Every structure is written in structure tokens, then in C-alpha cells.
Amino acid sequence: LVVPFLDFDGAAVGMQARALTASASVRWSGPINPSAGGTWSKYGFFQADSDYPEVIVTEGPGDALTAYAAGYSVLIVRGAALASSETLADALATGLKGRRIIVAGDNDSAGMAFTNNVCEALSTRGLDTYRLVLPTAVSDITAWRESNPLRFTEQFQQAVSNALTYGSETSVTFSVTVT
């Protein structure tokens, strides 16, 4: 599966491919950089055809596709390590200005660092930034959907509505029924 990375105007600026079989030796793959000193985009944006004001920011295409399928606009950051890039933060802040940003890193230490770094970078640039709280029993948005596909969209909408303002000291745990 090849996931295109679009800029805020809808132009293709990169892509990532994912193996569809569990036995594949490489799970994700991207293109070779276009020329000496050139690089493909570190992010991709998909504008949903819905009335949701939020943009869900994920640390990879898998979770972005899952959130998009639930009706949300999404911003894919190519990987968790890129979350601290000042250049990337400037580009994202320009493209996301005026939107409610929900950052949804994975439920692990790299994902928590991703969430905090992106929230910090965007909030210091004046954006309305929130942290999505994932259920404790799942590793990421896609695993959440896989755990309960019939109720996922409803639960995800509720979690987005209850996302925590970045910098708040509130701690929330969230449980779901895994089938």
C-alpha cells in the first residue's frame, strides 16, 4: 500500500509504502531522496470532507489513515523523531493556523515524546493544541480500531472531544472493550 504525502494545497510531495503481509522483512519504506541535498516532505496532509474542525496529527501513515477513515482531517508526520524539527514545526504552524490540533502519538515512550514535542512546538507558535488520550489497552489508533471495529468511530469521536489542552495537568485514563 502506497500512502501519498500531500502538502496543504493537495500537491504530492512524498510517500511511504507499507507491506500488507505480516511476514514482510520491511514494514514501511519510502523513496530515495530526489537529488543531492534534496529531500521528500516530512509530513503529509489529508483534508476530510466532514464538518469536524479538528486535525489529527499522527506519527505515521497507518494511524493517519485510520483517523481519516473515521472522518477527520489528518496530518502525518513521517516519524516520531521528526517531532522536534523547528523547520517542520514552522511549516506545520503555517498550514494548520486556525485549526484545532489533536496530537495522537503512540502509547509508548517514543509516542509520548512525539506528542509532547509536537504540542510544544505548535503551541509556542500560537496554535490551539491538544493531546489525545488513547485507551491504556492499545498501542496506537489503528490497534484501537482493530480491538473494537464496531464501536471505534464512536469512541474515537468521544476521545477527540475530550482531548486534553496541552499543558494541562489533568490525567485521564480510558478503557475500551476489546473483542
Side-chain angles (χ1 to χ4, degrees):
L1 171 69
V2 177
V3 179
F5 281 26
L6 308 177
D7 65 14
F8 292 105
D9 295 321
V13 291
M15 63 96 170
Q16 258 186 331
R18 187 188 196 305
L20 296 177
T21 60
S23 61
S25 60
V26 176
R27 198 170 128 195
W28 287 101
S29 178
I32 296 173
N33 283 336
S35 64
T39 185
W40 293 102
S41 181
K42 293 170 178 45
Y43 74 91
F45 180 72
F46 293 110
Q47 176 65 48
D49 292 328
S50 72
D51 293 331
Y52 295 130
E54 297 88 359
V55 174
I56 310 300
V57 179
T58 68
E59 60 179 287
D63 286 345
L65 292 175
T66 302
Y68 185 77
Y72 289 90
S73 297
V74 295
L75 184 111
I76 307 162
V77 176
R78 199 171 64 202
L82 297 172
S84 59
S85 166
E86 293 293 320
T87 303
L88 178 60
D90 290 340
L92 299 183
T94 299
L96 296 171
K97 186 176 182 174
R99 302 293 294 265
R100 183 173 187 250
I101 310 305
I102 310 293
V103 184
D106 291 352
N107 236 355
D108 59 17
S109 58
M112 288 179 229
F114 169 85
T115 298
N116 287 332
N117 289 338
V118 171
C119 284
E120 176 69 18
L122 296 180
S123 68
T124 60
R125 287 165 174 80
L127 274 72
D128 193 17
T129 309
Y130 298 81
R131 296 180 293 119
L132 184 78
V133 177
L134 294 174
T136 56
V138 300
S139 59
D140 60 23
I141 295 172
T142 301
W144 184 1
R145 185 199 164 281
E146 290 169 352
S147 74
N148 194 344
L150 297 176
R151 296 210 47 228
F152 169 74
T153 299
E154 171 193 344
Q155 293 172 344
F156 189 69
Q157 291 168 340
Q158 186 65 42
V160 168
S161 294
N162 293 331
L164 301 174
T165 303
Y166 175 68
S168 72
E169 299 303 316
T170 305
S171 177
V172 173
T173 58
F174 186 154
S175 64
V176 296
T177 305
V178 177
T179 57

